[in-house]
Amino acid sequence: MTTLLIKNATLIVTMDGEDRDLKDAAIFCRDGFIEQIGVQADLPQSADRVLDLKDHIVLPGLINTHHHFYQTLTRALPGSQNANLFNWLTYLYPIWAGLTPEDIFTSTQTALAELALSGCTTASDHLYLFPNGSKLDDQIEAAAQMGMRLHASRGSMSLGQSQGGLPPDSVVDTEDKILADSERLILRYHDPKPGSKLQIVLAPCSPFSVTGELMRESALLARRYGVQLHTHLAETEDEDDFCLAKFGRKPVAYMQSLDWVGNDVWFAHSVWVNDDEMNVYAHHGCGVAHCPSSNMRLASGIAPIMTMLGKGIKLGLGVDGSASNDGSHMLNEVRQAMLLSRLNSGIKGASRSAPDAPALMTARQALSIATRGGAAVLGRKDIGSLEVGKCADFFAINLNRLDYAGALEDPLAAVVFCSPVKADYTVVGGELIVEKGELKPIDIAKQTEKHNAASRRLIQK
Ligand code: ZN
């Protein structure tokens, strides 16, 4: 048994059901779970490891619900900088066709390093192409060394250009192979227990890159084993046109026709959903991974997330792939979500200051989406808030810093409103992943060098 005591924290933001904030507070953890949380004087005064977090704010670990780690190898490429989704994809697919197992490993560690340093403790990744012998196992092995929680999505593409899909035939697989590999991965790795560090998700890539048959078969397989389902949906207006032309339905109706709605399903983006479609999500319990930076980067649109919250839809945040962000900074994404939602408040001109104007998203709401919201989207009850019995997953930021100068009346707001900073401490299951601003599992300088060499090789192929 190992114990960890966090003491003297200026503020602990619990994100529990009552949104309690604790001043001069402490957390006592045992074997990776929170055993006690509260004011300093009421808690044990010693432990195997004690961290004095005077002047720090402590928050639940951020949960990233949508990413493509491999894209860290192809960030900000000149040919992809100023394109919308379909053009961006058709430019990048041939480059991604050169990915190797080593590339998957390296890019996974780079993305998780960035995420950990930005306060993230749980990440879901959507890997949907497996060229040159690559496997999801390459990512799983890399993530295990980083100590973070991973929801590894076994993605897939089966609808190549010759069949009317968007990706070139060189990056698609046969459906038999995809389904057999999906089942193998679930049986080998999926751990549904509280405190799980690894879960498998089945994730055909998008309506325009797989067949309806693969969607249906994936849903049957996922439900046989109780694993979650994930895909991109309603990201752009082009996708509406594609689905109407090819399937005679808009994306959400198409998903309904494939039995792809339910508590076990979450969709990335959902920018282009109308009121009726959001009601379908709410009724069936579908979750959404909101990716504001990517939606701005690719000029996809603004997702109606305040409306989704109003309807009780499970909503989490995702940085999305690093070729459309081009970073993995979760705290930055929290800020982007808050700011972008304000542009979409549906009010114009002078009516913005009218007494009955719609409420603007608050810093607390944005953080709640990235913590409790993300946990609900991933189907987890053991993470997302700091409460007795939950995983000891949190991050801390020293408030004494230039970035927050003049903003300490409300430290929680400073974390979201001020420029996004890096975490000083990130703890996953009671283990320190970031300590005094330094990443523990791997050497950042060596990783960056290795990553850049892999990136150059991939781009020059
Ligand atoms: Zn994506």
Side-chain angles (χ1 to χ4, degrees):
M1 288 204 292
T2 55
T3 54
L4 170 71
L5 174 67
I6 304 297
K7 67 174 192 180
N8 292 329
T10 302
L11 190 71
I12 294 179
V13 177
T14 67
M15 288 289 165
D16 65 7
E18 295 160 24
D19 276 345
R20 287 185 310 145
D21 295 340
L22 309 169
K23 289 183 179 161
D24 297 321
I27 307 174
F28 185 79
C29 316
R30 189 187 297 275
D31 293 338
F33 293 90
I34 297 172
E35 194 170 276
Q36 295 182 58
I37 179 168
V39 290
Q40 185 77 40
D42 298 343
L43 265 70
Q45 300 301 308
S46 63
D48 297 332
R49 181 81 202 266
V50 180
L51 279 186
D52 189 330
L53 292 188
K54 184 174 172 291
D55 295 332
H56 287 68
I57 183 172
V58 178
L59 299 122
L62 303 177
I63 296 168
N64 179 32
T65 58
H66 186 68
H67 203 324
H68 312 285
F69 295 161
Y70 74 86
Q71 292 181 12
T72 51
L73 294 161
T74 56
R75 289 198 241 220
L77 286 183
S80 75
Q81 286 168 13
N82 307 309
N84 64 8
L85 179 69
F86 281 15
N87 293 329
W88 175 89
L89 279 170
T90 44
Y91 173 79
L92 286 165
Y93 282 139
I95 298 173
W96 295 337
L99 284 165
T100 64
E102 293 75 28
D103 292 339
I104 302 295
F105 189 97
T106 302
S107 55
T108 294
Q109 295 204 329
T110 297
L112 286 172
E114 285 186 273
L115 287 167
L117 284 163
S118 68
C120 177
T121 52
T122 299
S124 177
D125 190 67
H126 189 178
L127 182 58
Y128 53 82
L129 27 77
F130 299 91
N132 309 306
S134 306
K135 294 197 189 86
L136 197 64
D137 309 62
D138 304 319
Q139 170 172 103
I140 288 168
E141 193 190 332
Q145 291 179 11
M146 301 298 289
M148 295 161 74
R149 296 186 204 285
L150 175 69
H151 284 229
S153 298
R154 203 301 177 185
S156 50
M157 297 201 289
S158 67
L159 194 65
Q161 273 162 5
S162 63
Q163 309 294 315
L166 191 72
D169 289 4
S170 61
V171 291
V172 307
D173 259 325
T174 66
E175 304 197 341
D176 286 348
K177 190 175 155 201
I178 291 165
L179 291 165
D181 192 51
S182 300
E183 188 167 29
R184 175 188 72 82
L185 289 159
I186 296 169
L187 292 170
R188 172 142 188 216
Y189 295 111
H190 183 68
D191 172 12
K193 292 189 293 295
S196 164
K197 283 193 136 175
L198 177 59
Q199 301 205 356
I200 299 295
V201 175
L202 299 192
C205 188
S206 63
F208 49 86
S209 58
V210 300
T211 65
E213 191 54 26
L214 181 64
M215 282 274 181
R216 255 195 216 98
E217 289 295 324
S218 296
L220 285 172
L221 184 60
R223 285 170 180 147
R224 196 179 316 146
Y225 290 104
V227 305
Q228 283 203 302
L229 290 161
H230 178 50
T231 193
H232 294 91
L233 201 75
E235 181 173 354
T236 63
E237 281 178 298
D238 311 27
E239 187 184 322
D240 268 9
D241 299 341
F242 181 95
C243 288
L244 280 168
K246 189 151 176 79
F247 312 119
R249 295 178 168 93
K250 287 182 64 190
V252 175
Y254 178 52
M255 288 296 112
Q256 282 183 283
S257 75
L258 300 172
D259 203 16
W260 255 75
V261 287
N263 238 319
D264 52 355
V265 179
W266 91 97
F267 300 119
H269 304 296
S270 294
V271 172
W272 295 96
V273 285
N274 62 29
D275 213 53
D276 291 342
E277 290 162 337
M278 285 187 270
N279 288 340
V280 170
Y281 286 8
H283 178 73
H284 292 279
C286 304
V288 171
H290 174 46
C291 306
S293 296
S294 174
N295 296 158
M296 286 188 267
R297 159 73 148 87
L298 297 172
S300 302
I302 308 178
I305 61 172
M306 288 301 269
T307 310
M308 291 186 198
L309 286 178
K311 289 179 182 292
I313 293 169
K314 292 182 296 192
L315 186 63
L317 276 191
V319 296
D320 202 2
S322 292
S324 70
N325 184 314
D326 299 289
S328 311
H329 198 303
M330 264 305 281
L331 197 53
N332 180 52
E333 212 59 30
V334 174
R335 184 174 193 251
Q336 299 278 56
M338 181 184 78
L339 297 179
L340 185 61
S341 82
R342 291 179 172 210
L343 276 190
N344 202 33
S345 51
I347 41 175
K348 292 191 175 66
S351 61
R352 280 184 202 277
S353 51
D356 59 348
L360 301 179
M361 180 180 285
T362 65
R364 188 181 295 276
Q365 274 179 307
L367 280 167
S368 172
I369 293 168
T371 52
R372 293 179 68 83
V377 164
L378 297 185
R380 305 254 331 213
K381 294 189 168 68
D382 56 341
I383 55 174
S385 60
L386 299 179
E387 298 177 75
V388 171
K390 297 230 176 181
C391 293
D393 289 9
F394 43 84
F395 71 106
I397 295 172
N398 190 333
L399 294 164
N400 274 334
R401 63 199 315 138
L402 181 64
D403 317 77
Y404 296 169
L408 297 184
E409 270 304 295
D410 186 349
L412 180 149
V415 167
V416 184
F417 276 84
C418 298
S419 292
V421 302
K422 288 200 160 76
D424 291 295
Y425 293 88
T426 302
V427 175
V428 181
E431 300 286 334
L432 269 77
I433 308 295
V434 176
E435 183 175 1
K436 292 184 182 163
E438 195 185 311
L439 187 79
K440 305 299 288 177
I442 56 168
D443 181 285
I444 293 276
K446 283 188 192 145
Q447 177 67 20
T448 307
E449 198 180 314
K450 182 175 155 193
H451 187 96
N452 283 335
S455 173
R456 271 193 297 273
R457 263 196 316 274
L458 181 65
I459 292 159
Q460 285 162 8
K461 259 181 196 170

